[in-house]
Amino acid sequence: MARPPRNRPHFYVEGGGQAEPYTSPRLVITGLPPARARVAHAQKLERAIGDAVAEGRRNLAARDEAIAEGERGFYLEFEVPAAERIALDSLENRPAAIELVAVRPVADGDEMVSATVFVPERSAEFFARKIEAYRDENTRTGKPKNEALVTRIEDVRLAAVRSLFTDEIALFPQAGRQAWWEVWIRDGRLGTLRHVADRLNVALKHHSISFPERDVVLALADEETMARLIANTDAVAELRLAKDTPTLFLEMRPMEQADWAGDLVGRIDPPDALAPAICLLDSGATRAHPLIEPALEAADQHAYVDAWGVGDSAYWNGHGTSMAGVALYGDLEAALADGNVVELRHRLETVKVLPPAGQNDPELYGAITAVGIGKAEAQAPRRRRIFCMAVTSEVGLGRGRPSSWSAAVDQLCYGGGDRRRLVVLAAGNLRGEIDVGEYLDRNDLEEVESPAQAWNALVAGAYTDKIGIAHPDYTGWEAVAPAGDLSPASRTSGIWDRQWPIRPDVVFEGGNFAHDGVNAASAIDDLQLLTTHYRPQMRLFETFGDTSAAAALGANLCAEILAVRPELWAETVRGLAVHSAEWTPAMRARFNAAGSQAQKMAMLRRYGWGVPDHGRALMSATDDATLMVEDALLPFRKDGSAIKTRSMNLHQLPWPRDELLALGGQDVELRITLSYFVEPNPGERGWTRRHRYASHALRFAVKRSLESLPQFRQRINRAAEAEEGGQLGAAAGGDDWVLGQIRDRGSIHSDIWRGSAAALANRDAIGVFPVSGWWKEKPGLQRWDRSARYALLVSVRAPGANVDIYTAIANQLAIPIPAS
């Protein structure tokens, strides 16, 4: 699409007669002697650049230095004739640290080209001096100094956001509307941009792309917010609109799709024989798809009923093959467009649990799930795997009460002995038309579907960052969900009774819906993920979304963790997914961060603990160190004929005490996640103290900075007694935790403490202790002497601090972490 011609400025000069408009692309002013024309042009530019620099200095004086970072400066936009582009190089000056950052592409018919430079405050007079020298001084050959540059400059102004936008101007986001921008960052300033974006609450994608002299990261902002980001940092070089629509691939002819798929196949590094697997319990999969075959062996395809066959079904619209593409690649669009080698570190297994046509009886799905899992494990008994199921049912929902299916999933996860399984489940989708006016209200009222009541599974809801609509058929349409908010079809546990787990646990990308302002919303291709189509002989790509896509992405993350750390327990992998999650700015904006416990619980039951971060789940940075403890305790003991609670485990951690004390009053963050599996007892008998669902429960508490270890033990003992008496969250109260008492639901608990580094330095012990369950209340079942294992994850974050916390902890890891 051609860029619309810009309006050229018209300048009027005095001549021998009537004033005439200045329209020449070079400095040729008819009717004026060369000397006067030289002076007139210099004076015009001096006025323009003087105004621009003065405005830039006023902006610098007004900015908040607590937010700003990087060298103080501003951006100037120059206009030169398109035919004189050679002058652009002269706008840069290394000694003055003036850098040419962006040049707007020239469209057919454009007479001018716009170039933007960053000018440090210390070099603010650089161009004014150049123009003054041009006006008043000559070279040895008698020509005006700086003539090659100054005569080619038509105009100068203080740059705006549009000045840095190098895509077609027609793509520039509408006023007041958020969009995802590609932010091209000046060399070495990615950290600066991240720090300023964090202070301005601008959402940035974690991953970036690096090129010589530039890094590229995605930022969510409207034009006004982007202007603030630019004004408070020296990092931004140029801006483009993020291109994240799968429509390009879907509208290709089959031969073009085959070319793109073939290119990706040539870049695949297939999984090795020992790679972990994602086992999909779904409608089967089309192994013949060229993008699936490298990771799916024929022997790893199964069916609940052998007569069904293992291939995918048109009845289910190829749902299993769509799941396979996302589970293997994530959003396939990124892999197709990247151009780099794609290393597949996990493989696929499929179990067809949906018949080729019609429905299974929902009441039998617990047995179907167990048989399907058993078939995969019998084929490769030593393989590490993540099970993933997006099949859900509305039958038997009851505000969080377990169903036979969800209890079967819990039993499969618990496994007995040391065999544990991690199952990733979809939260389920709203059914029927999506009314824009009901968005979020209906999501909060329609509960998560069975079997996602399961305590031990990782339950994935859907959020979305997809808001860009590019297809001309949808001009004027708008996305239903704002970027970073709940995907329009995702269910929640907003109406669940308080004793049941938080659901979803986390949310992953599930696509968005769009509407025209009149009709019900639609899941258009521009706002969905790209995946594999079940009939590759017809077409290779398909769009996909909702909580099915989110569950597949959740399994993808868990498999990536297993690929890096194959020895980790299932409880630990689930814990890392939750531990790495954060609420987006859009989520936090829905609720007052310092609000009531009821508000925080509503946020939890809608979004879980937020969006997991792959990088944080897989590694620790120098200012973000994560400790993992895998341990067990005996929760109960027999005292005569009575079963009583046993003592806690006390973990004294390798704390970076000196580094934290050096930070003094700087704000830091401590995050703790406790993950364990329970043995279910789902009989519906009123859920009284004696008839509990969970075999046991565990809690964590952290030593306070002025507390001795004996005092800490006494506090935990009192808290355990209080919880036995019905006071939920007794160990978490009154200690400046973000969630506090409401974190203790289900069998995974995660919370954040924020305070000064000095206060954190002495909080160097964590207690894990048991509270009652049916193992204790039903001694006749002989479970009271069973061990309860758990994963404890601890992170210390000091964002922006110039201190290496990771190394300080790593140096102490040779010392065993004691538990007593």
PDB file of all heavy atoms in Angstrom, residues 183-191 193-194 208 213-217 235-238:
ATOM      1  N   VAL A 183       9.326  -2.303  19.134  1.00  0.00           N
ATOM      2  CA  VAL A 183      10.206  -1.213  19.567  1.00  0.00           C
ATOM      3  C   VAL A 183      11.639  -1.607  19.207  1.00  0.00           C
ATOM      4  O   VAL A 183      12.184  -2.569  19.761  1.00  0.00           O
ATOM      5  CB  VAL A 183      10.078  -0.943  21.073  1.00  0.00           C
ATOM      6  CG1 VAL A 183      10.948   0.247  21.479  1.00  0.00           C
ATOM      7  CG2 VAL A 183       8.623  -0.686  21.451  1.00  0.00           C
ATOM      8  N   TRP A 184      12.224  -0.875  18.279  1.00  0.00           N
ATOM      9  CA  TRP A 184      13.601  -1.108  17.864  1.00  0.00           C
ATOM     10  C   TRP A 184      14.484  -0.233  18.741  1.00  0.00           C
ATOM     11  O   TRP A 184      14.327   0.992  18.799  1.00  0.00           O
ATOM     12  CB  TRP A 184      13.772  -0.768  16.387  1.00  0.00           C
ATOM     13  CG  TRP A 184      13.039  -1.741  15.489  1.00  0.00           C
ATOM     14  CD1 TRP A 184      11.698  -1.945  15.432  1.00  0.00           C
ATOM     15  CD2 TRP A 184      13.632  -2.658  14.572  1.00  0.00           C
ATOM     16  NE1 TRP A 184      11.410  -2.932  14.528  1.00  0.00           N
ATOM     17  CE2 TRP A 184      12.575  -3.386  13.978  1.00  0.00           C
ATOM     18  CE3 TRP A 184      14.943  -2.927  14.188  1.00  0.00           C
ATOM     19  CZ2 TRP A 184      12.803  -4.368  13.013  1.00  0.00           C
ATOM     20  CZ3 TRP A 184      15.168  -3.898  13.230  1.00  0.00           C
ATOM     21  CH2 TRP A 184      14.098  -4.611  12.648  1.00  0.00           C
ATOM     22  N   ILE A 185      15.420  -0.883  19.429  1.00  0.00           N
ATOM     23  CA  ILE A 185      16.137  -0.249  20.533  1.00  0.00           C
ATOM     24  C   ILE A 185      17.579   0.012  20.142  1.00  0.00           C
ATOM     25  O   ILE A 185      18.245  -0.837  19.530  1.00  0.00           O
ATOM     26  CB  ILE A 185      16.071  -1.163  21.780  1.00  0.00           C
ATOM     27  CG1 ILE A 185      14.598  -1.407  22.154  1.00  0.00           C
ATOM     28  CG2 ILE A 185      16.813  -0.546  22.955  1.00  0.00           C
ATOM     29  CD1 ILE A 185      14.404  -2.562  23.093  1.00  0.00           C
ATOM     30  N   ARG A 186      18.065   1.173  20.514  1.00  0.00           N
ATOM     31  CA  ARG A 186      19.453   1.543  20.236  1.00  0.00           C
ATOM     32  C   ARG A 186      20.404   0.582  20.940  1.00  0.00           C
ATOM     33  O   ARG A 186      20.090   0.024  21.981  1.00  0.00           O
ATOM     34  CB  ARG A 186      19.707   2.985  20.675  1.00  0.00           C
ATOM     35  CG  ARG A 186      18.860   4.013  19.934  1.00  0.00           C
ATOM     36  CD  ARG A 186      19.039   5.399  20.527  1.00  0.00           C
ATOM     37  NE  ARG A 186      20.403   5.883  20.339  1.00  0.00           N
ATOM     38  CZ  ARG A 186      20.969   6.784  21.123  1.00  0.00           C
ATOM     39  NH1 ARG A 186      20.310   7.271  22.172  1.00  0.00           N
ATOM     40  NH2 ARG A 186      22.202   7.197  20.884  1.00  0.00           N
ATOM     41  N   ASP A 187      21.567   0.438  20.381  1.00  0.00           N
ATOM     42  CA  ASP A 187      22.528  -0.565  20.819  1.00  0.00           C
ATOM     43  C   ASP A 187      22.818  -0.460  22.320  1.00  0.00           C
ATOM     44  O   ASP A 187      23.152   0.608  22.832  1.00  0.00           O
ATOM     45  CB  ASP A 187      23.831  -0.387  20.024  1.00  0.00           C
ATOM     46  CG  ASP A 187      24.753  -1.587  20.158  1.00  0.00           C
ATOM     47  OD1 ASP A 187      24.260  -2.669  20.498  1.00  0.00           O
ATOM     48  OD2 ASP A 187      25.966  -1.428  19.922  1.00  0.00           O
ATOM     49  N   GLY A 188      22.649  -1.604  23.013  1.00  0.00           N
ATOM     50  CA  GLY A 188      23.014  -1.679  24.423  1.00  0.00           C
ATOM     51  C   GLY A 188      22.023  -1.076  25.393  1.00  0.00           C
ATOM     52  O   GLY A 188      22.338  -0.946  26.587  1.00  0.00           O
ATOM     53  N   ARG A 189      20.821  -0.737  24.951  1.00  0.00           N
ATOM     54  CA  ARG A 189      19.877  -0.028  25.829  1.00  0.00           C
ATOM     55  C   ARG A 189      18.607  -0.827  26.124  1.00  0.00           C
ATOM     56  O   ARG A 189      17.622  -0.263  26.581  1.00  0.00           O
ATOM     57  CB  ARG A 189      19.521   1.326  25.222  1.00  0.00           C
ATOM     58  CG  ARG A 189      20.704   2.299  25.188  1.00  0.00           C
ATOM     59  CD  ARG A 189      20.389   3.529  24.352  1.00  0.00           C
ATOM     60  NE  ARG A 189      21.432   4.542  24.436  1.00  0.00           N
ATOM     61  CZ  ARG A 189      22.547   4.543  23.711  1.00  0.00           C
ATOM     62  NH1 ARG A 189      22.765   3.548  22.842  1.00  0.00           N
ATOM     63  NH2 ARG A 189      23.455   5.496  23.849  1.00  0.00           N
ATOM     64  N   LEU A 190      18.630  -2.136  25.871  1.00  0.00           N
ATOM     65  CA  LEU A 190      17.451  -2.948  26.133  1.00  0.00           C
ATOM     66  C   LEU A 190      17.097  -2.927  27.620  1.00  0.00           C
ATOM     67  O   LEU A 190      15.925  -2.799  27.997  1.00  0.00           O
ATOM     68  CB  LEU A 190      17.679  -4.388  25.661  1.00  0.00           C
ATOM     69  CG  LEU A 190      16.547  -5.390  25.935  1.00  0.00           C
ATOM     70  CD1 LEU A 190      15.242  -4.933  25.297  1.00  0.00           C
ATOM     71  CD2 LEU A 190      16.928  -6.778  25.426  1.00  0.00           C
ATOM     72  N   GLY A 191      18.101  -3.061  28.495  1.00  0.00           N
ATOM     73  CA  GLY A 191      17.841  -3.018  29.928  1.00  0.00           C
ATOM     74  C   GLY A 191      17.240  -1.700  30.365  1.00  0.00           C
ATOM     75  O   GLY A 191      16.334  -1.650  31.202  1.00  0.00           O
ATOM     76  N   LEU A 193      15.367   0.307  28.552  1.00  0.00           N
ATOM     77  CA  LEU A 193      13.969   0.351  28.142  1.00  0.00           C
ATOM     78  C   LEU A 193      13.098  -0.482  29.079  1.00  0.00           C
ATOM     79  O   LEU A 193      12.002  -0.053  29.464  1.00  0.00           O
ATOM     80  CB  LEU A 193      13.821  -0.149  26.706  1.00  0.00           C
ATOM     81  CG  LEU A 193      12.389  -0.013  26.176  1.00  0.00           C
ATOM     82  CD1 LEU A 193      12.177   1.377  25.603  1.00  0.00           C
ATOM     83  CD2 LEU A 193      12.062  -1.066  25.138  1.00  0.00           C
ATOM     84  N   ARG A 194      13.574  -1.662  29.447  1.00  0.00           N
ATOM     85  CA  ARG A 194      12.774  -2.512  30.333  1.00  0.00           C
ATOM     86  C   ARG A 194      12.531  -1.844  31.684  1.00  0.00           C
ATOM     87  O   ARG A 194      11.431  -1.910  32.235  1.00  0.00           O
ATOM     88  CB  ARG A 194      13.463  -3.866  30.524  1.00  0.00           C
ATOM     89  CG  ARG A 194      13.415  -4.761  29.281  1.00  0.00           C
ATOM     90  CD  ARG A 194      13.767  -6.194  29.632  1.00  0.00           C
ATOM     91  NE  ARG A 194      13.773  -7.063  28.462  1.00  0.00           N
ATOM     92  CZ  ARG A 194      12.684  -7.593  27.922  1.00  0.00           C
ATOM     93  NH1 ARG A 194      11.503  -7.337  28.448  1.00  0.00           N
ATOM     94  NH2 ARG A 194      12.770  -8.383  26.866  1.00  0.00           N
ATOM     95  N   SER A 208      13.172 -11.033  23.194  1.00  0.00           N
ATOM     96  CA  SER A 208      13.599  -9.991  22.262  1.00  0.00           C
ATOM     97  C   SER A 208      14.426 -10.632  21.162  1.00  0.00           C
ATOM     98  O   SER A 208      14.887 -11.768  21.276  1.00  0.00           O
ATOM     99  CB  SER A 208      14.417  -8.920  22.982  1.00  0.00           C
ATOM    100  OG  SER A 208      15.579  -9.497  23.567  1.00  0.00           O
ATOM    101  N   GLU A 213      23.532  -3.561  16.261  1.00  0.00           N
ATOM    102  CA  GLU A 213      23.134  -2.189  16.611  1.00  0.00           C
ATOM    103  C   GLU A 213      21.687  -2.048  17.085  1.00  0.00           C
ATOM    104  O   GLU A 213      21.298  -0.973  17.529  1.00  0.00           O
ATOM    105  CB  GLU A 213      23.342  -1.221  15.442  1.00  0.00           C
ATOM    106  CG  GLU A 213      24.772  -1.103  14.983  1.00  0.00           C
ATOM    107  CD  GLU A 213      24.951  -0.012  13.955  1.00  0.00           C
ATOM    108  OE1 GLU A 213      24.337  -0.124  12.866  1.00  0.00           O
ATOM    109  OE2 GLU A 213      25.682   0.942  14.242  1.00  0.00           O
ATOM    110  N   ARG A 214      20.881  -3.122  17.010  1.00  0.00           N
ATOM    111  CA  ARG A 214      19.482  -2.996  17.408  1.00  0.00           C
ATOM    112  C   ARG A 214      18.995  -4.261  18.106  1.00  0.00           C
ATOM    113  O   ARG A 214      19.352  -5.377  17.731  1.00  0.00           O
ATOM    114  CB  ARG A 214      18.580  -2.740  16.184  1.00  0.00           C
ATOM    115  CG  ARG A 214      18.781  -1.384  15.502  1.00  0.00           C
ATOM    116  CD  ARG A 214      18.289  -0.241  16.345  1.00  0.00           C
ATOM    117  NE  ARG A 214      18.397   1.034  15.657  1.00  0.00           N
ATOM    118  CZ  ARG A 214      19.416   1.879  15.799  1.00  0.00           C
ATOM    119  NH1 ARG A 214      20.430   1.582  16.617  1.00  0.00           N
ATOM    120  NH2 ARG A 214      19.436   3.019  15.151  1.00  0.00           N
ATOM    121  N   ASP A 215      18.177  -4.051  19.151  1.00  0.00           N
ATOM    122  CA  ASP A 215      17.356  -5.110  19.732  1.00  0.00           C
ATOM    123  C   ASP A 215      15.908  -4.741  19.463  1.00  0.00           C
ATOM    124  O   ASP A 215      15.553  -3.558  19.371  1.00  0.00           O
ATOM    125  CB  ASP A 215      17.587  -5.220  21.246  1.00  0.00           C
ATOM    126  CG  ASP A 215      18.989  -5.681  21.589  1.00  0.00           C
ATOM    127  OD1 ASP A 215      19.351  -6.779  21.157  1.00  0.00           O
ATOM    128  OD2 ASP A 215      19.712  -4.933  22.277  1.00  0.00           O
ATOM    129  N   VAL A 216      15.064  -5.762  19.355  1.00  0.00           N
ATOM    130  CA  VAL A 216      13.645  -5.529  19.080  1.00  0.00           C
ATOM    131  C   VAL A 216      12.824  -6.257  20.130  1.00  0.00           C
ATOM    132  O   VAL A 216      13.040  -7.443  20.400  1.00  0.00           O
ATOM    133  CB  VAL A 216      13.247  -6.019  17.676  1.00  0.00           C
ATOM    134  CG1 VAL A 216      11.796  -5.630  17.376  1.00  0.00           C
ATOM    135  CG2 VAL A 216      14.174  -5.453  16.620  1.00  0.00           C
ATOM    136  N   VAL A 217      11.875  -5.535  20.725  1.00  0.00           N
ATOM    137  CA  VAL A 217      10.992  -6.114  21.724  1.00  0.00           C
ATOM    138  C   VAL A 217       9.587  -5.585  21.457  1.00  0.00           C
ATOM    139  O   VAL A 217       9.420  -4.509  20.859  1.00  0.00           O
ATOM    140  CB  VAL A 217      11.470  -5.751  23.153  1.00  0.00           C
ATOM    141  CG1 VAL A 217      11.272  -4.272  23.435  1.00  0.00           C
ATOM    142  CG2 VAL A 217      10.767  -6.598  24.211  1.00  0.00           C
ATOM    143  N   ALA A 235      16.449   5.141  24.672  1.00  0.00           N
ATOM    144  CA  ALA A 235      16.616   3.797  24.114  1.00  0.00           C
ATOM    145  C   ALA A 235      15.950   3.587  22.761  1.00  0.00           C
ATOM    146  O   ALA A 235      16.379   2.742  21.985  1.00  0.00           O
ATOM    147  CB  ALA A 235      16.078   2.762  25.102  1.00  0.00           C
ATOM    148  N   VAL A 236      14.874   4.305  22.455  1.00  0.00           N
ATOM    149  CA  VAL A 236      14.060   3.974  21.286  1.00  0.00           C
ATOM    150  C   VAL A 236      14.713   4.498  20.010  1.00  0.00           C
ATOM    151  O   VAL A 236      15.089   5.675  19.923  1.00  0.00           O
ATOM    152  CB  VAL A 236      12.636   4.540  21.433  1.00  0.00           C
ATOM    153  CG1 VAL A 236      11.795   4.188  20.215  1.00  0.00           C
ATOM    154  CG2 VAL A 236      11.986   4.011  22.706  1.00  0.00           C
ATOM    155  N   ALA A 237      14.810   3.615  19.016  1.00  0.00           N
ATOM    156  CA  ALA A 237      15.347   4.009  17.714  1.00  0.00           C
ATOM    157  C   ALA A 237      14.224   4.174  16.686  1.00  0.00           C
ATOM    158  O   ALA A 237      14.191   5.165  15.959  1.00  0.00           O
ATOM    159  CB  ALA A 237      16.364   2.991  17.215  1.00  0.00           C
ATOM    160  N   GLU A 238      13.342   3.196  16.618  1.00  0.00           N
ATOM    161  CA  GLU A 238      12.209   3.310  15.697  1.00  0.00           C
ATOM    162  C   GLU A 238      11.080   2.438  16.197  1.00  0.00           C
ATOM    163  O   GLU A 238      11.250   1.609  17.103  1.00  0.00           O
ATOM    164  CB  GLU A 238      12.604   2.908  14.275  1.00  0.00           C
ATOM    165  CG  GLU A 238      13.070   1.479  14.124  1.00  0.00           C
ATOM    166  CD  GLU A 238      13.343   1.106  12.674  1.00  0.00           C
ATOM    167  OE1 GLU A 238      12.375   1.036  11.894  1.00  0.00           O
ATOM    168  OE2 GLU A 238      14.514   0.878  12.327  1.00  0.00           O
TER     169      GLU A 238
END
